[in-house]
Amino acid sequence: MDSEKHQRYQTAMVSTYYPDTCFLDYLVMPDGVEQSYGSDLLTKLHSGKVFMVNSRRRNGLILFKAYHAEFAGPGAAVGGDYDRDCVHVLPIGNISSMLLTTSSSEDRQKSYLIRRQWIRLIKQITENPVPQQRIQRILDQFEQYFPPEVVSQLPDKAFAMLVGVLPQTVAMVRRLGNEIDTLS
């Protein structure tokens, strides 16, 4: 009897909270526009080939996995077996010349090392125990590399999944900006 009640409770929790915690079926930008052009890139990533994010341009990919996101910046390897679990891709920058094929094993090895550097950067940010500070640091990093108007158009859920916080926390930090530092 108790296990039956427990099972009903779990089902109710999943059905109540699932829409807010599951991965996005699509991304809606702050201006209300749905992102769909990432599906072509996702098809490429699932092809099994290894690509490199163009290192001659200021662009990158936010790669959404089931429960987190990763950023692959210029020069980073994407695709192959490493990104088979990718469920959505959000390109940042010039999409038409974003992905290049790696021509040699040296290029591929170098691009994997660069991908690892991007992962380490995000890891350093996520080690901060204060969620608001994690968001502020990732926003600062992105604004150093991309124009602020590009960063402001990226959805809250993208940053939330990169550094492990709730999207509402991202919205609050974006709204309050540097005022958070004075509140902490």
Side-chain angles (χ1 to χ4, degrees), residues 40-55:
D40 293 339
L41 292 171
L42 187 60
T43 303
K44 280 186 174 183
L45 294 182
H46 287 165
S47 72
K49 295 179 184 175
V50 176
F51 296 95
M52 179 177 70
V53 177
N54 191 342
S55 61

Side-chain angles (χ1 to χ4, degrees), residues 139-158:
L139 289 171
D140 291 345
Q141 285 291 324
F142 269 68
E143 286 177 354
Q144 283 180 10
Y145 199 73
F146 299 108
E149 58 274 5
V150 170
V151 176
S152 69
Q153 292 301 308
L154 295 174
D156 293 344
K157 279 194 175 185

Side-chain angles (χ1 to χ4, degrees), residues 1-14:
M1 188 69 125
D2 286 337
S3 65
E4 190 177 305
K5 284 181 183 177
H6 182 68
Q7 191 173 11
R8 269 191 263 150
Y9 176 70
Q10 285 180 331
T11 304
M13 281 187 59
V14 169

